[in-house]
Amino acid sequence: MNQAIEGVRWTIHDLEVLPENEWTRYEIINGELFVTRTPHRRHQQVCVKIVRQLDVWSDSSGLGETIVAPGVIFSQADSVIPDVVWVSREQLGASTFGRNTGRLEIAATQTKSACADSLKPA
């Protein structure tokens, strides 16, 4: 369920005034605000399986780290919350996750088109 609020160019600063709610996810893509509810149980189970596999590989290779639902800021008008992110050690050294800037090596998200398109590496 995506609900786009049209006619306004949103920025990351606008997110600060929106009500915090654990059941609602706010993302900005190209200045457009997307409001989605939290993912369904089955979706969360798939994310857990992805995280498990990435963690095992990351621990054995030492090449990076798996992060669940970080806020990722690409620009003032692009802020997303992918469900699962894998980041290389090199990229981790260049950013701080939680609220970070930078590029992602691997990201999985619930929104199929808009978010997935915006998560392409820089």
Side-chain angles (χ1 to χ4, degrees):
M1 174 181 181
N2 257 357
Q3 179 184 7
I5 300 173
E6 307 217 9
V8 175
R9 180 130 176 103
W10 294 80
T11 70
I12 57 172
H13 304 292
D14 296 318
L15 294 175
E16 301 300 323
V17 299
L18 295 173
E20 288 192 33
N21 178 335
E22 67 180 297
W23 305 108
T24 304
R25 181 181 289 195
Y26 301 107
E27 296 179 289
I28 300 173
I29 301 169
N30 294 323
E32 187 174 352
L33 177 65
F34 289 84
V35 181
T36 56
R37 62 183 175 195
T38 54
H40 186 271
R41 175 189 55 83
R42 179 71 182 127
H43 176 87
Q44 297 290 32
Q45 289 171 325
V46 169
C47 287
V48 167
K49 289 179 182 189
I50 291 170
V51 168
R52 238 186 265 138
Q53 294 300 312
L54 284 171
D55 273 347
V56 167
W57 180 78
S58 294
D59 289 345
S60 67
S61 71
L63 294 176
E65 198 172 295
T66 309
I67 303 169
V68 177
V72 182
I73 300 170
F74 292 105
S75 71
Q76 296 289 314
D78 291 293
S79 174
V80 295
I81 308 170
D83 296 307
V84 179
V85 172
W86 183 88
V87 184
S88 68
R89 292 268 175 233
E90 177 184 306
Q91 187 64 25
L92 276 171
S95 358
T96 12
F97 270 84
R99 296 257 169 135
N100 81 330
T101 58
R103 64 183 174 85
L104 305 176
E105 279 84 6
I106 299 173
T109 186
Q110 79 178 52
T111 311
K112 294 179 182 170
S113 60
C115 286
D117 289 346
S118 72
L119 293 175
K120 293 176 183 168

